[in-house]
Amino acid sequence: MKSWTTALLIASFLSGSHAPAIAQESVVPTADQKPEPVQGEVVAGQTPEQLQQLVAPIALYPDALVAQILAASAYPTEIVEADRWVQQHSDLKGQQLAQAVDQQSWDVSVKAIAQFPSVLGNMDKNLSWTSSLGDAYVNQQQDVLDAVQTMRKRAQQAGNLKTTPQENVVTQGQTIVIQPANPDVVYVPTYDPWLVYGPPVVAYPGWFWYPGLYAVGPGISFGFGFGIGFFGGFGWGFHHWGFDWHDRFVRHDHDRYEAHDHDHFHRGGGHSGFHGDSGFHGGQGSHGGRPGPQGRAGFHGGGSGFHGGGGFHGGGGFHGGGGRR
């Protein structure tokens, strides 16, 4: 009897000593875990400096293209689907291509980006950046547009942003507006987003650079122009996009654009958004910046062979660009 009593006491002692440890283990996150936000908790937004870093690769694009990119970044899964679709249908040209894009179920902003396969391809390859941009756009739209204007002013002060044969740069009060010089041809400027603004900008973490995106240096250059004529008849076409710079929001068809059923959630209700996996970048195995003294990564523009050929863009086809300015 004494042995049974002793066994029970030992078992009771062991179970009592382990219970607190188990309870403690269930509430203390490991080093690689982050606590889930409490329902209704306000998640801190990105700082102005972080937003400037985030918009640096696109801030010097024409207004309508920046508006399309910001809106489309809220749909990173559709960006991936659209990029794959564009690559698989490279045989479609002009009106045939525009009609096929119009039939897709993508958001209108993603359809608009399909006009610029180089931009779409980069958003796919840099999916983590795209997702972060979309998260910021959904939750901090006015701050994001402020960051765009800040970076434009920096590039202008550095002498790298000015009117050229490809685009018009106009200062309206405290706002810098960028529009195509020819309304039927859009040039995507090519520049190193970490050098073009004067003092170097720290590259976005994990930014994926690959050879041929741009010429090395702090200036801006242009490759081929994108003729947008065949896409003009659709409601998602280039000229249906823009900004209300006064109130800081994206316009689509002269109204405020609202993202619906996007891949991000408004902060304050739990998750902060969709975050792309580093392995989900078009089959690329590495996402680090290029080696060298800059330690930076780049963004691509109009001239690379990745862009799908001249007939892809309809309208006026490809138009020769200018050199570096």
Side-chain angles (χ1 to χ4, degrees):
M1 182 71 180
K2 182 177 181 181
S3 61
W4 280 105
T5 303
T6 302
L8 288 172
L9 288 172
I10 292 173
S12 176
F13 172 77
L14 289 175
S15 63
S17 62
H18 280 279
I22 293 172
Q24 183 179 20
E25 183 179 351
S26 66
V27 298
V28 177
T30 60
D32 59 348
Q33 290 178 328
K34 294 182 181 179
E36 287 290 331
V38 178
Q39 185 72 17
E41 176 186 2
V42 176
V43 181
Q46 300 197 56
T47 66
E49 292 74 18
Q50 290 172 323
L51 293 176
Q52 291 163 23
Q53 177 192 38
L54 195 57
V55 304
I58 62 169
L60 305 185
Y61 284 14
D63 282 19
L65 182 54
V66 177
Q68 293 166 15
I69 292 171
L70 291 177
S73 65
Y75 303 90
T77 53
E78 291 189 7
I79 288 293
V80 174
E81 179 183 348
D83 187 44
R84 303 300 190 273
W85 185 93
V86 166
Q87 294 181 48
Q88 293 167 4
H89 295 82
S90 58
D91 57 316
L92 296 178
K93 314 293 180 184
Q95 188 69 24
Q96 207 176 18
L97 173 65
Q99 291 174 345
V101 168
D102 188 57
Q103 293 171 8
Q104 304 308 307
S105 60
W106 313 323
D107 184 76
V108 290
S109 59
V110 178
K111 292 181 181 180
I113 295 297
Q115 299 174 89
F116 305 96
S118 59
V119 177
L120 177 64
N122 189 75
M123 294 179 73
D124 182 7
K125 288 180 175 64
N126 276 294
L127 199 61
S128 176
W129 168 81
T130 298
S131 181
S132 294
L133 184 67
D135 181 62
Y137 166 74
V138 168
N139 293 289
Q140 298 176 257
Q141 184 170 161
Q142 292 185 336
D143 295 335
V144 168
L145 268 59
D146 284 339
V148 169
Q149 286 298 323
T150 296
M151 300 311 283
R152 288 182 174 184
K153 290 172 186 175
R154 288 179 58 176
Q156 191 177 62
Q157 292 169 358
N160 292 322
L161 181 61
K162 51 193 173 184
T163 293
T164 69
Q166 293 81 22
E167 63 184 21
N168 294 323
V169 179
V170 180
T171 301
Q172 302 174 349
Q174 298 298 312
T175 301
I176 298 176
V177 176
I178 304 176
Q179 302 286 359
N182 181 341
D184 295 323
V185 183
V186 178
Y187 291 89
V188 179
T190 304
Y191 59 88
D192 186 327
W194 322 119
L195 295 179
V196 73
Y197 299 103
V201 177
V202 177
Y204 178 79
W207 176 266
F208 173 58
W209 179 90
Y210 50 94
L213 297 184
Y214 53 79
V216 177
I220 300 175
S221 63
F222 297 88
F224 295 105
F226 294 85
I228 56 175
F230 284 116
F231 295 88
F234 297 97
W236 41 264
F238 182 83
H239 294 299
H240 291 265
W241 296 86
F243 289 109
D244 182 317
W245 286 115
H246 180 268
D247 292 323
R248 295 292 196 264
F249 62 81
V250 171
R251 285 190 296 105
H252 176 245
D253 275 344
H254 307 291
D255 292 324
R256 181 191 292 268
Y257 170 82
E258 298 288 350
H260 299 287
D261 299 324
H262 49 75
D263 294 339
H264 297 267
F265 299 91
H266 290 281
R267 295 193 183 117
H271 302 287
S272 61
F274 171 95
H275 296 279
D277 191 305
S278 61
F280 194 37
H281 290 262
Q284 302 291 343
S286 171
H287 299 273
R290 67 169 180 228
Q294 295 175 358
R296 304 291 186 259
F299 191 83
H300 62 298
S304 170
F306 181 81
H307 301 255
F312 187 95
H313 302 283
F318 270 138
H319 295 258
R324 180 172 295 277
R325 68 174 189 232

